Amino acid sequence: MVKISPSVLSANFLDLKEQIEKLEQAGVDMWHLDVMDGIFVPNISFGVPVIKSIKKYAKAPLDVHLMIDRPHRYIKEFAEVSDYLGFHYEAGSDVAATLKEIREYGCKSCLTIKPCTEPEEIFEFLPLCDMVLVMSVEPGFGGQKFMPSALPKLEKLKEEIKRQNLNVELEIDGGINAETAKLAVNAGASVLVAGSFIFSAEDMNACVDSLKNGL
């Protein structure tokens, strides 16, 4: 079964508690939380205090995506409020050590790659991952158009995960809607991050249903 992880960055923060409750009733599986520092990506979002507030009300696991420079500096703080904790391969940390540290704090580890990164570059780290996130847009802003170049990356990662006999989820983020979701799932994605497609819809529950059951 494909998991749906709405991107909170696209939510209406004044109505966030209500939106969380409504979408959890619709059956979302996770909450995707983009943490941006204005250095690794040209945007600033939110940090630990906001995530901690969300955690009080969300029943589904929190999938925290660190789009920050040298993320190893903040693993402990974010691990305390995360269920899945991910960072970018390109962000300037010791990848293996950071993945191990995430697991040591009891979180599931996720390694993320940007559109410019080839999947073969992270094959050696797959045994340390519980999930891999493939970006299908340039990280930093919501509402961007889906990049089809992400699809062969998913296919290669799925094949390598199978070859290594690992249990690693494949997540995709960027431009996901009812049409691109089908392409992503067919290529190997098991977790779909969707932001503006869900939160800008008149009927958010119908959007979730279209992603979960329209494949």
Side-chain angles (χ1 to χ4, degrees):
M1 174 67 77
V2 174
K3 296 180 180 179
I4 308 301
S5 186
S7 179
V8 173
L9 190 65
S10 297
N12 181 343
F13 276 74
L14 291 178
D15 297 322
L16 187 54
K17 180 177 179 289
E18 179 182 335
Q19 290 180 329
I20 287 174
E21 293 173 347
K22 183 175 183 179
L23 286 170
E24 288 193 340
Q25 290 175 1
V28 301
D29 304 280
M30 305 160 69
W31 291 103
H32 191 80
L33 299 156
D34 290 316
V35 177
M36 298 184 278
D37 63 357
I39 300 172
F40 182 70
V41 294
N43 198 4
I44 296 174
S45 59
F46 45 75
V48 170
V50 170
I51 298 173
K52 187 179 293 186
S53 296
I54 292 171
K55 194 172 181 67
K56 291 179 182 178
Y57 297 102
K59 296 178 181 178
L62 301 190
D63 167 25
V64 177
H65 174 195
L66 300 180
M67 301 186 194
I68 64 176
D69 183 57
R70 294 171 289 161
H72 61 274
R73 298 175 295 163
Y74 302 101
I75 295 305
K76 182 179 186 297
E77 290 85 348
F78 281 100
E80 292 175 352
V81 294
S82 306
D83 297 290
Y84 288 78
L85 181 57
F87 65 97
H88 275 265
Y89 166 73
E90 310 88 356
S93 289
D94 182 321
V95 174
T98 305
L99 288 168
K100 290 176 183 177
E101 184 180 2
I102 290 170
R103 284 180 164 181
E104 287 170 0
Y105 284 118
C107 289
K108 293 189 176 182
S109 60
C110 178
L111 186 58
T112 304
I113 58 172
K114 295 169 69 174
C116 62
T117 300
E118 294 300 323
E120 290 85 355
E121 296 182 49
I122 66 166
F123 281 0
E124 65 180 291
F125 304 114
L126 290 176
L128 300 173
C129 297
D130 296 295
M131 186 162 68
V132 170
L133 169 55
V134 175
M135 294 299 299
S136 45
V137 296
E138 287 294 338
F141 294 91
Q144 297 183 63
K145 187 176 180 180
F146 179 83
M147 299 173 68
S149 58
L151 299 174
K153 293 181 182 183
L154 288 170
E155 292 170 349
K156 290 178 181 178
L157 284 163
K158 183 178 181 180
E159 183 178 338
E160 182 64 18
I161 290 167
K162 183 178 180 180
R163 190 189 72 81
Q164 294 190 36
N165 193 30
L166 301 172
N167 183 21
V168 180
E169 295 182 275
L170 280 178
E171 183 175 42
I172 188 164
D173 180 9
I176 295 299
N177 55 39
E179 295 178 359
T180 57
K182 295 178 183 178
L183 299 175
V185 171
N186 288 338
S190 56
V191 182
L192 302 174
V193 177
S196 55
F197 177 66
I198 291 176
F199 286 105
S200 65
E202 291 186 11
D203 189 339
M204 294 190 298
N205 289 17
C207 279
V208 173
D209 184 67
S210 70
L211 290 174
K212 290 181 78 76
N213 303 309
L215 303 170

